[in-house]
Amino acid sequence: MNRTENQMLIIFGASGDLTARKLIPAIFNLALGGHLPENFVVLGTSRSDISDEEFRRNVVSESEHLEDDLNGKKKKVVEKFSGQLFYHKLNSDKDSGYAALKDRIISLNQEFHTDNNYIFYLSTPPSVYEPIAKELYEQDLHKEDKGWKRLIVEKPFGYSLKTAKELNRALQRYFKESQIYRIDHYLGKETVQNLLVTRFSNSIFEPLWNRNYIHHVEITNAESVGVEKRGGYYDKSGALRDMFQSHLLQIVALVVMEPPLNASPEEIRNEKLKALKSLRVMEDEKTLHENTMRAQYIASTIEGKAVNGYREEENVDPNSKTETFAALKFFVDNWRWADVPFYVRTAKRMPTKVTEVVIHFKSPHHQIFKDSGMNSKDNKLIIRIQPDEGILIKFGVKVPGQGFKVERANLDFYYSSLVENHIMEAYERLLLDAMQGDPTLYARADEVEAAWTFVDPILEYWKNSDEKVYGYSAGTWGPETADDLIEGSAGWRNPGAQLADDPNYCVIC
Ligand code: BG6
């Protein structure tokens, strides 16, 4: 196991939601698991004028996000943890603001012996990533002559290929690429990492993992929630930017990539980059029209409760064309995947929360059993990212009795059956990796740009064309026409709340 050196975590945007909701609970769990180094301090900073004590109250003792974790914990444990948290109000005065922050960092470093090792976590709006990096640079807080320095940035990483490139270049002016950690919380999920292990630590899947045996690949990411309180952000983003460009393309890369030479961060990321670069970019209008689909949820009643349509949500333009559902069909131009269609969809306000990858295998090339509906009985490998994490293989078995009637049976594996220990939450895992200097599960600049290269033309097309925005009732699996995207098959597999549920689960009725 890697060593975690003494260090300080400096969080920008410390009075914001992400800090209380994700970061502090993740650090608390790391503390409980004994993963923090002996000397460790968190310094939260933002423009809000609060004291150390108030910060501790907000994010620990009175935080609704830590309530359950604190229950039953000894007072001493909680007090020790709180005592490691500090707060500094960042003065808006350009000249004194960052100098004073630096003084505070130096004094905490001296007092708590954090060995000049600093992680700067930018949990702020993306518009200030560059200014913060610049200020840190001007204060020499990027220099690694004494201790290492790392910069973690949250998504969205850019708004388009152009802005992502600009942001990369800007951050790289002040920090080296090896110091920059671009967080994608899906890579922190055990089941996403398990895609690599399933593929490359077994000899039963990889020989079949190609165009000779795979008919198509389907990825569904569904959320039952709507845009909640994030209408302002979401309306400028949409499903394709919010989920597909980052999280889902990372999953696609792990499904598509070639085996890396070894498990080092650079080898894995090199292969992911190659995978992303092999996605066929859709360029002409005909291809874009035929292979992309967008939609928005409309008001409905779910389990007896009325829910708003997207355009009625807070801070959403009543005439908005922003998609809350996006579905794509695309190809991967390389030796392994030639002519295998990939279908990916993501949406809010679907019947259930689920993310899964389905590998649909081809029918046996010589059909001996002429049972009806054999096509729908083709083998499937379902890798369930969340929830009810696990893997399911669908295969044909003989129905007892005369003749050869074939039925589909399940071979399943559930993560829950393995779990003896606490499974780290995505943020916990990713923070610990950054604390140990392991960037494997962070996106590199070139990966992010390759992902935008694929997504950009779709966004441009949607923005500048009359491509329809379909409506779908909140709580359903999206517009019916989405099934037309999938050629010659029964359409999307609509998974249920549990891994082994049969498809077409719906809560609206
Ligand atoms: C975030 C998106 O990155 O991921 C949200 O901005 C989305 O819109 C969330 O709800 C989904 O994450 P998870 O881990 O709940 O699937």
Side-chain angles (χ1 to χ4, degrees), residues 442-458:
Y442 283 85
R444 217 168 51 186
D446 46 10
E447 274 180 70
V448 171
E449 290 177 19
W452 278 117
T453 304
F454 181 73
V455 169
D456 239 24
I458 307 171

Side-chain angles (χ1 to χ4, degrees), residues 147-248:
W148 46 255
K149 310 290 177 294
R150 295 176 191 143
L151 184 75
I152 303 185
V153 280
E154 268 292 334
K155 79 171 248 286
F157 200 82
Y159 187 75
S160 59
L161 176 60
K162 181 169 170 282
T163 51
K165 279 186 173 168
E166 283 166 5
L167 184 55
N168 277 334
R169 299 300 96 82
L171 294 183
Q172 287 164 345
R173 259 200 296 282
Y174 309 117
F175 285 81
K176 288 182 284 193
E177 175 62 22
S178 58
Q179 294 177 287
I180 304 172
Y181 288 66
R182 295 172 193 80
I183 209 161
D184 184 310
H185 81 277
Y186 266 57
L187 288 176
K189 293 182 193 273
E190 278 295 330
T191 42
V192 172
Q193 296 156 34
N194 193 45
L195 275 167
L196 279 179
V197 175
T198 303
R199 287 191 57 194
F200 303 131
S201 75
N202 292 298
S203 49
I204 56 172
F205 299 119
E206 204 48 26
L208 308 182
W209 208 267
N210 58 56
R211 66 188 305 272
N212 297 327
Y213 297 96
I214 294 179
H215 184 269
H216 68 276
V217 176
E218 180 184 348
I219 300 177
T220 289
N221 168 267
E223 291 185 88
S224 45
V225 292
V227 291
E228 313 283 274
K229 300 257 173 268
R230 298 163 72 225
Y233 149 77
Y234 196 90
D235 207 32
K236 292 194 188 62
S237 165
L240 208 64
R241 282 194 181 87
D242 185 48
M243 289 299 299
F244 182 81
Q245 184 278 332
S246 48
H247 310 322
L248 295 179

